[in-house]
Coordinates of all heavy atoms in Angstrom, one line a residue:
V5 N 98.3 98.0 104.1 CA 98.4 97.6 102.7 C 99.0 96.2 102.6 O 100.0 95.9 103.3 CB 99.4 98.6 101.9 CG1 99.5 98.2 100.4 CG2 98.9 100.0 102.0
G11 N 105.6 95.9 94.6 CA 105.1 97.0 95.4 C 105.1 98.3 94.7 O 105.2 99.4 95.4
Q22 N 103.2 111.0 101.2 CA 104.2 112.1 101.5 C 103.8 113.4 100.9 O 104.3 114.5 101.3 CB 105.6 111.6 100.9 CG 106.2 110.6 101.9 CD 107.3 109.7 101.3 OE1 107.7 109.9 100.2 NE2 107.9 108.9 102.2
A40 N 109.4 89.8 98.8 CA 108.7 90.9 98.1 C 109.5 92.2 98.2 O 109.7 92.7 99.3 CB 107.3 91.1 98.6
L43 N 108.5 95.1 100.5 CA 108.9 95.2 101.9 C 110.1 96.2 102.1 O 110.1 97.0 103.1 CB 109.3 93.8 102.5 CG 108.1 92.8 102.6 CD1 108.7 91.4 102.9 CD2 107.2 93.3 103.8
R45 N 110.6 98.8 100.0 CA 110.0 100.1 99.9 C 109.4 100.6 101.2 O 109.5 101.8 101.5 CB 108.9 100.1 98.8 CG 109.4 99.7 97.4 CD 108.2 99.7 96.4 NE 108.4 99.0 95.2 CZ 108.8 99.6 94.1 NH1 109.1 100.9 94.1 NH2 109.0 99.0 92.9
R62 N 101.6 75.9 106.4 CA 101.4 74.5 105.9 C 102.4 73.6 106.7 O 102.1 72.5 107.1 CB 101.7 74.5 104.4 CG 100.6 75.2 103.6 CD 99.8 74.2 102.8 NE 98.5 74.7 102.3 CZ 98.4 75.5 101.2 NH1 99.5 75.8 100.5 NH2 97.2 75.9 100.7
K66 N 98.9 73.7 109.6 CA 97.8 74.6 109.7 C 97.1 74.8 108.4 O 97.6 74.6 107.3 CB 98.2 75.9 110.3 CG 98.7 75.8 111.8 CD 99.1 77.2 112.3 CE 99.5 77.1 113.8 NZ 99.9 78.5 114.2
R68 N 94.4 76.9 105.6 CA 94.3 78.2 105.0 C 93.4 79.1 105.8 O 93.7 80.3 106.0 CB 93.6 78.0 103.6 CG 93.5 79.2 102.8 CD 94.9 79.9 102.6 NE 94.8 81.2 102.0 CZ 94.8 81.3 100.7 NH1 95.0 80.3 99.9 NH2 94.7 82.5 100.2
H82 N 95.9 96.9 114.2 CA 96.2 98.3 113.9 C 94.9 99.1 113.7 O 95.0 100.3 113.3 CB 97.1 98.3 112.6 CG 98.5 97.8 112.8 ND1 99.5 98.6 113.1 CD2 98.9 96.5 112.9 CE1 100.6 97.9 113.3 NE2 100.3 96.6 113.2
P84 N 92.7 99.4 111.4 CA 92.7 100.2 110.1 C 91.3 100.7 109.7 O 90.3 100.1 109.9 CB 93.2 99.2 109.1 CG 92.8 97.9 109.6 CD 92.8 97.9 111.1
R103 N 86.1 90.2 108.7 CA 86.6 91.1 109.8 C 86.6 92.6 109.4 O 86.5 93.5 110.2 CB 88.0 90.7 110.1 CG 88.2 89.4 110.9 CD 87.8 89.5 112.4 NE 88.6 90.4 113.2 CZ 89.6 90.0 113.9 NH1 90.1 88.8 113.9 NH2 90.3 90.9 114.7
I108 N 87.7 96.9 102.8 CA 88.8 96.4 102.0 C 88.6 96.7 100.6 O 87.5 96.5 100.0 CB 88.8 94.8 102.1 CG1 88.6 94.3 103.5 CG2 90.1 94.3 101.5 CD1 88.6 92.8 103.6
H112 N 92.7 95.8 90.6 CA 92.7 94.7 89.6 C 92.9 95.3 88.2 O 92.2 96.2 87.8 CB 91.4 94.0 89.7 CG 91.3 92.8 88.8 ND1 92.2 91.7 88.9 CD2 90.5 92.5 87.7 CE1 91.9 90.8 88.0 NE2 90.9 91.3 87.2
A114 N 92.0 95.1 85.2 CA 91.0 94.8 84.1 C 89.8 95.6 84.5 O 89.7 96.3 85.5 CB 90.7 93.3 84.2
L115 N 88.8 95.5 83.6 CA 87.5 96.3 83.8 C 86.5 95.4 84.5 O 86.6 94.2 84.4 CB 87.0 96.8 82.5 CG 87.9 97.9 81.8 CD1 87.4 98.3 80.5 CD2 88.0 99.1 82.7
P116 N 85.5 96.0 85.2 CA 84.5 95.2 85.9 C 83.9 94.1 85.0 O 83.6 94.4 83.9 CB 83.5 96.2 86.4 CG 84.2 97.5 86.4 CD 85.3 97.4 85.4
Y146 N 85.6 97.3 95.9 CA 85.4 96.8 97.3 C 85.6 95.3 97.2 O 85.2 94.6 96.2 CB 84.0 97.1 97.9 CG 84.0 98.6 98.3 CD1 83.3 99.5 97.5 CD2 84.6 99.0 99.5 CE1 83.3 100.9 97.9 CE2 84.5 100.3 99.9 CZ 83.9 101.2 99.1 OH 83.9 102.6 99.5
I148 N 84.7 91.5 98.2 CA 83.7 90.6 98.7 C 84.2 89.2 98.5 O 85.2 89.1 97.8 CB 82.3 90.8 98.0 CG1 82.4 90.5 96.5 CG2 81.8 92.2 98.3 CD1 81.1 90.5 95.8
E150 N 83.5 86.8 96.6 CA 83.7 86.4 95.2 C 84.8 87.2 94.5 O 84.7 88.5 94.5 CB 82.3 86.7 94.5 CG 82.1 85.7 93.3 CD 80.8 86.0 92.6 OE1 80.0 86.9 93.1 OE2 80.5 85.4 91.5
L191 N 89.4 108.9 98.0 CA 88.0 109.0 97.8 C 87.2 108.2 98.9 O 86.3 108.7 99.6 CB 87.7 108.3 96.5 CG 86.5 108.9 95.7 CD1 86.6 110.4 95.4 CD2 86.4 108.1 94.3

Side-chain angles (χ1 to χ4, degrees):
V5 183
Q22 283 164 355
L43 290 168
R45 297 179 194 269
R62 290 249 166 83
K66 291 182 176 177
R68 183 57 188 271
H82 291 264
R103 285 288 293 267
I108 314 180
H112 184 61
L115 293 174
Y146 285 101
I148 58 173
E150 211 184 349
L191 211 57

